Amino acid sequence: MPKNRHNLSVTLQQFLLRGPSTLSEADRELIAIVVSHNNQCAFCTTAHTAAADLLAGEAETAQKVKENIETAPVTEKMKALLTIAKLTAQNGRSVTTEAINWAKAAGATDVEIHDTVLIAALFCYYNRYVDGLATALPVDAGYYNVLAERLVNHGYTRLPQGYDHLKKQS
């Protein structure tokens, strides 16, 4: 991808997942997980699960969200937003008035609903980009922990030294 296009999508991802928000960074990672898991993108699902686990300090929530949003140990508001994310991943027109009303009744703001849909749409793009280029999965599962630390501690902006240090660990 040409550098200017890559920078634009990275800037949007950094803003949506690490910028100011009433949703926690862990909550926003859960949105990325639901979409990536729904789209069967192994790389993105695993990478963002590792980041969410690190942010939350535990591994149960992300796993339970992937298994069943309705029984996951998250607030009613997050269940509603994660459902909107899953519906968005299926097709933008799948998001129903009922799903929006559920989110609002559970305390979600219009901005949180908007950001959920935007994160979901962005991850549909990333999932298709990653899978469409047949991205190789790391041989060493520990790669995802290193990647998660980078995402949590540095966000989504490109590190000055690039990514070679990560590639050596895969």
Side-chain angles (χ1 to χ4, degrees):
M1 174 184 288
K3 189 173 184 170
N4 59 344
R5 286 191 179 123
H6 175 74
N7 288 342
L8 178 62
S9 71
V10 168
T11 301
L12 182 57
Q13 187 174 19
Q14 175 67 18
F15 180 77
L16 289 173
L17 275 84
R18 294 295 180 267
S21 177
T22 54
L23 296 174
S24 73
E25 291 178 359
D27 289 341
R28 291 177 275 171
E29 289 289 346
L30 290 176
I31 294 166
I33 292 167
V34 163
V35 173
S36 299
H37 182 71
N38 186 71
N39 287 333
Q40 300 176 354
C41 181
F43 179 84
C44 293
T45 301
T46 308
H48 293 281
T49 297
D53 290 350
L54 186 59
L55 285 163
E58 50 87 10
E60 178 185 4
T61 301
Q63 183 58 40
K64 296 288 185 185
V65 161
K66 288 184 282 189
E67 291 170 5
N68 185 340
I69 293 170
E70 292 177 20
T71 59
V74 296
T75 65
E76 192 70 14
K77 177 174 96 171
M78 275 311 297
K79 288 178 185 181
L81 292 174
L82 294 171
T83 298
I84 289 170
K86 186 175 181 179
L87 292 169
T88 301
Q90 292 169 359
N91 181 319
R93 291 179 296 244
S94 296
V95 179
T96 63
T97 302
E98 292 78 24
I100 298 296
N101 289 340
W102 174 28
K104 287 182 177 184
T109 66
D110 287 340
V111 171
E112 290 169 334
I113 294 167
H114 172 273
D115 288 355
T116 296
V117 171
L118 194 49
I119 292 167
L122 183 63
F123 272 86
C124 284
Y125 159 72
Y126 279 125
N127 298 158
R128 284 153 181 80
Y129 179 66
V130 165
D131 287 343
L133 292 176
T135 300
L137 298 178
V139 175
D140 178 8
Y143 167 87
Y144 292 106
N145 294 327
V146 173
L147 180 57
E149 285 190 37
R150 184 185 79 74
L151 295 177
V152 169
N153 296 317
H154 301 285
Y156 291 88
T157 55
R158 185 176 185 86
L159 297 174
Q161 73 269 29
Y163 301 109
D164 288 341
H165 69 290
L166 290 174
K167 293 176 186 173
K168 291 175 187 168
Q169 295 181 18
S170 63

